[in-house]
Structure formats: C-alpha cells, structure tokens
Amino acid sequence: QDRVKGFGGDRGKLDELKVWMRRGIENGLTPDDLRGLAVQVTFYAGWPAGLCAGKAALDILEADAKK
C-alpha cells in the first residue's frame, strides 16, 4: 500500500499522477494499461486512491474513446 501511495495514488497527488500517466502514454503505455493501473491502485491502496487514479486517467481514456 505504501508503494502505491508513494507512486502518486493518494488523494493529494492527482495533478502529479496525471503528468506521469501522460508521460507513460508518450512512452508506450496504452489506455488499457492505465485502466489496469487504476484497478491495481484500488486493490493495493484502497478505494479513495483508486478513484484518484481513475480521475487522473479520465482525460486520456475519454480521448481514446473518441478515436
């Protein structure tokens, strides 16, 4: 749980997590990878952290859905 929070999944790190997710996409991650990340954050760090991860990925996932 601490590892995931240190990664940026806690509630106070939404903006930072968005930046890292965008960088991940730029470096080869897929939107499906981000979906999986949100699930993993939820299991390891709890529901609030998972919600934060989902919110952080929302812009990327919505853009992908429009393709």
Side-chain angles (χ1 to χ4, degrees), residues 4 7 9 14 16-43 49-65 67:
V4 174
F7 165 73
L14 179 63
E16 183 179 349
L17 191 52
K18 286 180 180 182
V19 169
W20 286 111
M21 285 184 171
R22 280 189 217 109
R23 285 192 182 173
I25 292 290
E26 291 167 4
N27 287 292
L29 288 180
T30 66
D32 281 338
D33 293 331
L34 295 183
R35 287 182 188 93
L37 173 72
V39 170
Q40 291 298 315
V41 168
T42 303
F43 281 115
L51 248 138
C52 180
K55 286 179 185 178
L58 192 58
D59 292 338
I60 295 168
L61 298 176
E62 286 177 343
D64 182 61
K67 288 183 180 178

